[in-house]
Amino acid sequence: MDKRLLTREQIAKRIANDLQSGDIVNIGIGIPVLVSNYVGPDAEIIYHSEQGVLGMGKKAKPGEEDPDLVNASKEPVTLVPGGSYSHSADSFAMARGKHIDVAILGGMQVSEKGDLANWKVKGVKLGSIGGAMDIANGAKKVFIAMTHTSKNGDIKIVKELDFPVTALRCVNRIYTDMAVIEVQRDGLVLKEIASGFSVEDVQKVTEPKLIIDEDLKEIQV
Amino acid sequence: MDKRLLTREQIAKRIANDLQSGDIVNIGIGIPVLVSNYVGPDAEIIYHSEQGVLGMGKKAKPGEEDPDLVNASKEPVTLVPGGSYSHSADSFAMARGKHIDVAILGGMQVSEKGDLANWKVKGVKLGSIGGAMDIANGAKKVFIAMTHTSKNGDIKIVKELDFPVTALRCVNRIYTDMAVIEVQRDGLVLKEIASGFSVEDVQKVTEPKLIIDEDLKEIQV
Amino acid sequence: MKLINKIYDSMDAAVADISDGSSILFGGFGGAGVAYELILALHRQGAKNISAVSNNPGYHEEGIAKLIAYDRISKLTCSFPNAKDSYVFRQKFEEGKIDLELVPQGTLAERIRAGGSGIEAFFTPTGVGTEIAAGKEEREFNGIPCILEKAIRGDYAFIKAKKADRWGNLVYNKSGRNFNPAMAMAGKITIAEVDEIVEVGELDPETIVTPGIFVQRVVKRSGL
Amino acid sequence: MKLINKIYDSMDAAVADISDGSSILFGGFGGAGVAYELILALHRQGAKNISAVSNNPGYHEEGIAKLIAYDRISKLTCSFPNAKDSYVFRQKFEEGKIDLELVPQGTLAERIRAGGSGIEAFFTPTGVGTEIAAGKEEREFNGIPCILEKAIRGDYAFIKAKKADRWGNLVYNKSGRNFNPAMAMAGKITIAEVDEIVEVGELDPETIVTPGIFVQRVVKRSGL
């Protein structure tokens, strides 16, 4: 069987399958932005955007842009019916106060304890935090969407972070182009695996020893 | 000349003279409640009420009461044009954050350093604080309206409080039925005196040694 | 489509799962913004050993005074326990049947907001030099003496609002707002008793005071 | 009758008294809710050695990027300094001409709200185990590790709102709200740049987001 890494879109689609109607979800930049495209019409998901939008809708069409209604990447968006605005302190009260059900974030490194690095490359002087630390710390569940290894092949799922930390013990699940991995108290549990890959293939590019779920499946997307 | 103690109404009127148009004022129970009756029509005073009303108006007339619009004593009131509502945390952000220009409060004891006791009688087990501590601490200026001595003749302006403390070093001025006294760094300055009373009369019922203002006047009401 | 629907059919259904020993935040200042019908439903339900947070202890036998009268509340965190009409609380307190944590009103509101906001504790000047400071850490910041106050959260919050939609978005009526928005944030399960339920999208997004993220259940008052 | 009137005739008049070395809180997230005309007036006015607090450092040469380009800002407290279009800041930072205090966005918003609310410092989990925690006290509450963060205040706050009245009551437009309400609370002199000025009483009291108590000056945008 061919080994087929998931595309960015397929990773997003796989994550969308794990969202439930009613979830309040914060979406980070990168692959996470694609997730909302794959949420089915039978789910009512409420998107939180850090600058004070709860119930963020689709990107604004030409002509309906308002410079005062933007997403976290400063692109013009819309508000869905039922949406509301808050000031930044209250918006982050939502994030820090454990009111957001799921944060879907990109990752540079994730440790076997669920520590996350995603805000600054190692060795760089100037980085931007934005809402990353508050949201990673505060969301009820943190899902990481990323490629399993970096462009130049570096392992990203590691025993200990050596990139600058975003938040400790915050990640619940890691969705990569190769696997779905759950962070549990006793370690990383391999739950699903991309079509054509073996457990050994995944372990080879994953530093901590993986626990193999008894119900290991192929990723369906 | 007759010694004439000020009435409660006269104390209130004297305080009203020291308010300026534009002042944001918090009013405590007792004599302070009377102050707004004596604010002239040429001053726009904004009344803050702790439960989340900025721009509190007069008491509601029969038929216009709303059980959700009350003053700090739970009496139905009105809102003036320009008024607004806040939740309790924001309402006390106004008080604690030094945004209220003047708090006019009752007093049981005031010390020569400006310490205030006004929430609980000495020796009593169960007292109510309400907003007293936050407001006494947080207002830019605290004016105390009280009789100079207690009903049974106890001295209320003392060297050290022996009643339960409301807030330390918070009082700016004391308005009594006998005198207007300013709390300054070097002590209590007697600024005004009720008609017919001598400095000695006031000193006799004031424990700390009073500093006599060079411009000592009779209270005009 | 599985729509979000936080609306409960009755007050009784909305409080049915509250177990003995729960902590509950009760909105309201005096009689304004009190979830009276939810409180009555809780009385019928019978949960006891409740740890209550409320600015007032209720008046006569209304509001939480009724719960206190029936010995359902074992501890009250409160700023104004001793009003003339709060005789039920006073009597139970003197009999040793209810504990009191006395808190300045602003500190109470802020501790609750902190509980809902991921703030575990804060330093504030209110209470320095008073009996409220007993046992609390004191520290100066920029020459301002402060005491350390800790966050308050509740297993439940009983909120009174004017209007809600099925997402739990809320607007309030006048100073009936008071403690309700902060308590909505700090309740693990926040239950809103409302005068009116409207369609999603009817509330102006600029004027929603409590976004639905902070509300888990909504029930319409019977007004009886 | 001496009416309250916080309205200034021009942006220049509203910023005329700002002296070198002042601290200023600048509202806005990205380009939303930024008081652009006040910033331009401050540029004309010439004050330098400004200690600025702003979520972003401005883009291209717009907003506070213009002040940075002219070396008017000596220190920036900020959550997102390194965006693609924030090249002005990046260059000045690399040249050592501006200091940076990097703060997580939620901590930044909360430190500002604290500054306006009589909270001198607070404990929060955000930043634990990161470089943000360096030099800060760490303490556990209920098993949750937290760091101590201190209040932020400004000599001035530059706020952008939609409507104001002469009392300084403000409403905002959509997510243009962002940092503005908290900064209005924390500015000693808060100056609001607004699209429209209305009569006192025109704004619905239930919908006022920033009550006038937090605003000292109001100026209408020219829109040019």
Side-chain angles (χ1 to χ4, degrees):
Chain A
M1 207 163 55
D2 278 1
K3 296 185 180 185
R4 286 206 317 220
L5 288 172
L6 269 59
T7 61
R8 291 160 56 87
E9 287 72 19
Q10 286 173 318
I11 297 173
K13 193 172 172 192
R14 176 61 195 84
I15 293 175
N17 289 342
D18 282 352
L19 298 182
Q20 291 176 3
S21 193
D23 277 348
I24 293 166
V25 177
N26 182 289
I27 296 277
I29 53 174
I31 299 171
V33 170
L34 305 170
V35 172
S36 66
N37 298 336
Y38 299 100
V39 170
D42 55 341
E44 207 174 20
I45 303 289
I46 300 177
Y47 296 100
H48 170 264
S49 192
E50 62 186 22
Q51 74 283 8
V53 183
L54 186 68
M56 185 170 64
K58 294 187 186 305
K59 285 199 193 151
K61 289 178 195 142
E64 65 175 19
E65 304 99 333
D66 183 328
D68 280 338
L69 182 47
V70 293
N71 63 17
S73 303
K74 297 173 287 154
E75 298 158 323
V77 293
T78 57
L79 189 78
V80 300
S84 58
Y85 303 109
S86 300
H87 63 59
S88 300
D90 281 352
S91 176
F92 278 95
M94 296 177 191
R96 299 153 71 116
K98 299 272 171 204
H99 303 285
I100 291 176
D101 294 300
V102 184
I104 307 171
L105 308 173
M108 294 173 181
Q109 285 185 334
V110 179
S111 85
E112 64 180 329
K113 291 192 290 286
D115 303 338
L116 172 66
N118 73 348
W119 73 278
K120 194 168 76 167
V121 175
K122 185 167 62 168
V124 163
K125 190 173 173 201
L126 187 63
S128 291
I129 301 173
M133 289 184 182
D134 304 288
I135 293 165
N137 257 296
K140 287 183 202 164
K141 281 187 242 166
V142 173
F143 291 173
I144 299 300
M146 65 180 191
T147 55
H148 208 97
T149 56
S150 76
K151 275 175 199 164
N152 40 23
D154 291 339
I155 286 185
K156 295 168 77 173
I157 303 174
V158 294
K159 285 189 177 166
E160 295 283 345
L161 303 183
D162 64 349
F163 273 47
V165 177
T166 302
L168 301 178
R169 296 171 186 275
C170 65
V171 176
N172 297 84
R173 283 185 165 213
I174 312 165
Y175 298 81
T176 76
D177 45 4
M178 202 181 267
V180 177
I181 293 169
E182 200 162 271
V183 182
Q184 294 189 356
R185 200 159 296 179
D186 43 353
L188 299 179
V189 178
L190 181 63
K191 306 279 288 185
E192 299 178 22
I193 201 161
S195 177
F197 285 91
S198 67
V199 169
E200 292 67 35
D201 290 333
V202 179
Q203 183 65 73
K204 207 160 23 169
V205 289
T206 307
E207 190 187 358
K209 176 78 181 143
L210 291 167
I211 301 164
I212 314 306
D213 194 83
E214 4 180 277
D215 195 25
L216 181 68
K217 287 183 233 176
E218 183 179 307
I219 301 176
Q220 302 297 324
V221 282
Chain B
M1 208 162 55
D2 279 0
K3 296 184 179 186
R4 286 209 315 222
L5 288 172
L6 269 59
T7 62
R8 290 160 57 87
E9 286 72 18
Q10 286 173 318
I11 297 173
K13 193 173 173 193
R14 175 61 195 85
I15 294 175
N17 290 341
D18 282 353
L19 299 182
Q20 291 176 3
S21 193
D23 276 348
I24 293 167
V25 177
N26 182 288
I27 296 275
I29 53 174
I31 299 171
V33 169
L34 305 170
V35 172
S36 67
N37 298 335
Y38 299 101
V39 170
D42 55 341
E44 207 174 19
I45 303 291
I46 300 178
Y47 296 100
H48 171 264
S49 192
E50 61 186 22
Q51 74 283 9
V53 183
L54 187 67
M56 186 171 63
K58 294 186 188 304
K59 285 200 193 150
K61 289 178 198 141
E64 67 175 18
E65 304 99 333
D66 183 329
D68 279 339
L69 182 46
V70 294
N71 63 18
S73 303
K74 298 173 287 153
E75 299 159 322
V77 293
T78 57
L79 189 79
V80 300
S84 57
Y85 303 109
S86 300
H87 63 59
S88 300
D90 281 353
S91 176
F92 278 95
M94 296 177 189
R96 301 153 70 113
K98 299 271 171 205
H99 303 286
I100 291 176
D101 294 301
V102 184
I104 306 171
L105 307 174
M108 294 173 181
Q109 284 186 334
V110 179
S111 84
E112 65 181 329
K113 292 192 291 287
D115 302 338
L116 172 66
N118 74 347
W119 74 278
K120 193 168 76 168
V121 175
K122 184 167 60 168
V124 163
K125 189 172 173 203
L126 187 63
S128 290
I129 300 173
M133 289 185 183
D134 305 287
I135 293 165
N137 256 297
K140 287 183 202 164
K141 280 188 244 167
V142 172
F143 292 172
I144 299 301
M146 65 180 191
T147 55
H148 208 97
T149 55
S150 75
K151 276 176 199 163
N152 41 22
D154 291 338
I155 285 186
K156 294 168 76 172
I157 303 175
V158 295
K159 285 188 176 166
E160 295 282 347
L161 304 183
D162 64 350
F163 273 47
V165 176
T166 302
L168 301 177
R169 295 170 187 275
C170 64
V171 176
N172 298 84
R173 283 184 166 214
I174 312 165
Y175 299 81
T176 75
D177 46 4
M178 202 181 266
V180 176
I181 292 170
E182 200 162 272
V183 182
Q184 293 190 357
R185 199 158 297 178
D186 42 354
L188 299 179
V189 178
L190 181 63
K191 306 280 288 184
E192 300 179 22
I193 200 161
S195 177
F197 286 91
S198 67
V199 169
E200 292 66 35
D201 291 331
V202 179
Q203 184 65 72
K204 209 164 14 173
V205 288
T206 308
E207 189 188 0
K209 177 79 182 140
L210 292 166
I211 301 163
I212 314 305
D213 194 82
E214 5 180 276
D215 195 23
L216 181 69
K217 287 184 233 174
E218 184 179 307
I219 299 176
Q220 302 297 324
V221 282
Chain C
M1 177 160 176
K2 207 190 146 207
L3 292 176
I4 298 166
N5 189 4
K6 298 181 179 174
I7 299 170
Y8 277 59
D9 287 335
S10 71
M11 298 289 162
D12 294 296
V15 305
D17 64 351
I18 298 179
S19 58
D20 293 354
S22 296
S23 57
I24 308 181
L25 315 174
F26 294 94
F29 178 94
V34 176
Y36 282 113
E37 296 194 9
L38 282 172
I39 294 170
L40 286 173
L42 184 65
H43 174 256
R44 288 192 294 275
Q45 194 259 25
K48 54 185 191 299
N49 195 23
I50 299 294
S51 183
V53 179
S54 169
N55 188 59
N56 309 90
Y59 310 103
H60 307 287
E61 297 213 0
E62 287 175 359
I64 65 166
K66 179 148 188 174
L67 300 174
I68 295 170
Y70 284 79
D71 296 324
R72 303 287 174 74
I73 296 182
S74 52
K75 184 195 169 188
L76 177 65
T77 302
C78 170
S79 93
F80 212 89
N82 193 19
K84 180 170 162 291
D85 296 333
S86 297
Y87 49 80
V88 169
F89 171 80
R90 203 159 41 236
Q91 187 191 326
K92 293 291 181 181
F93 180 73
E94 281 162 11
E95 291 171 7
K97 291 199 170 153
I98 187 166
D99 289 336
L100 173 67
E101 182 181 351
L102 186 63
V103 182
Q105 191 177 171
T107 295
L108 181 62
E110 195 65 28
R111 287 176 64 190
I112 295 165
R113 184 188 175 281
S117 305
I119 308 295
E120 296 301 324
F122 58 87
F123 283 102
T124 189
T126 297
V128 169
T130 76
E131 63 184 64
I132 292 303
K136 291 177 185 162
E137 180 182 338
E138 193 169 330
R139 195 189 297 190
E140 274 195 24
F141 294 87
N142 308 312
I144 303 166
C146 293
I147 54 176
L148 184 65
E149 295 282 3
K150 289 180 186 164
I152 292 177
R153 296 182 181 89
D155 296 321
Y156 295 86
F158 280 20
I159 297 308
K160 168 66 177 65
K162 186 180 178 188
K163 293 184 190 181
D165 60 27
R166 65 178 170 80
W167 282 19
N169 291 309
L170 304 180
V171 297
Y172 300 89
N173 180 41
K174 300 175 182 155
S175 64
R177 190 181 298 198
N178 59 67
F179 280 86
N180 287 301
M183 287 182 171
M185 297 168 83
K188 204 176 292 174
I189 295 177
T190 291
I191 314 174
E193 167 180 335
V194 302
D195 295 327
E196 192 185 344
I197 294 176
V198 300
E199 290 299 315
V200 163
E202 266 189 60
L203 298 173
D204 177 353
E206 298 282 6
T207 71
I208 290 170
V209 174
T210 294
I213 189 171
F214 297 125
V215 178
Q216 282 66 48
R217 300 175 188 173
V218 170
V219 209
K220 190 172 180 303
R221 287 167 65 85
S222 70
L224 296 178
Chain D
M1 177 161 175
K2 208 189 146 209
L3 291 176
I4 299 166
N5 189 3
K6 298 181 179 173
I7 300 168
Y8 277 60
D9 287 336
S10 71
M11 299 288 163
D12 294 297
V15 304
D17 63 351
I18 298 178
S19 57
D20 292 355
S22 296
S23 56
I24 308 182
L25 315 175
F26 294 93
F29 177 95
V34 176
Y36 283 113
E37 294 195 9
L38 282 172
I39 293 169
L40 286 173
L42 184 66
H43 174 255
R44 289 191 294 274
Q45 193 257 28
K48 54 187 191 298
N49 196 23
I50 298 295
S51 184
V53 179
S54 169
N55 188 59
N56 310 90
Y59 310 104
H60 307 288
E61 297 212 0
E62 287 175 358
I64 66 166
K66 180 149 188 173
L67 300 175
I68 295 169
Y70 284 79
D71 296 324
R72 303 285 174 74
I73 295 181
S74 54
K75 184 194 170 187
L76 177 65
T77 301
C78 172
S79 94
F80 213 89
N82 192 21
K84 181 171 162 292
D85 295 333
S86 297
Y87 49 79
V88 169
F89 171 80
R90 202 158 43 235
Q91 187 190 327
K92 293 292 181 182
F93 179 74
E94 282 163 10
E95 290 172 7
K97 289 197 171 154
I98 187 167
D99 290 336
L100 172 67
E101 181 181 352
L102 186 62
V103 182
Q105 192 178 171
T107 296
L108 182 61
E110 195 64 28
R111 288 175 64 190
I112 295 164
R113 184 187 174 281
S117 305
I119 308 295
E120 295 301 324
F122 57 87
F123 283 101
T124 188
T126 299
V128 169
T130 76
E131 62 184 64
I132 292 303
K136 290 175 186 162
E137 181 183 338
E138 194 170 328
R139 195 188 296 190
E140 273 195 24
F141 294 87
N142 308 312
I144 303 166
C146 293
I147 54 176
L148 184 65
E149 294 283 2
K150 288 181 187 162
I152 292 177
R153 297 182 181 89
D155 297 322
Y156 296 87
F158 281 19
I159 297 308
K160 168 67 176 63
K162 186 178 179 189
K163 293 184 190 181
D165 60 27
R166 64 179 170 81
W167 282 20
N169 291 310
L170 303 180
V171 296
Y172 300 90
N173 181 41
K174 300 177 179 151
S175 65
R177 189 182 298 198
N178 58 66
F179 281 86
N180 287 300
M183 287 183 171
M185 297 167 82
K188 204 176 292 173
I189 296 177
T190 291
I191 315 175
E193 168 180 335
V194 302
D195 295 328
E196 192 184 345
I197 293 175
V198 300
E199 291 298 315
V200 163
E202 267 189 58
L203 298 174
D204 177 354
E206 298 282 6
T207 71
I208 289 170
V209 175
T210 294
I213 190 171
F214 297 125
V215 177
Q216 283 66 48
R217 300 173 189 175
V218 171
V219 209
K220 191 173 180 303
R221 288 166 65 85
S222 70
L224 296 177

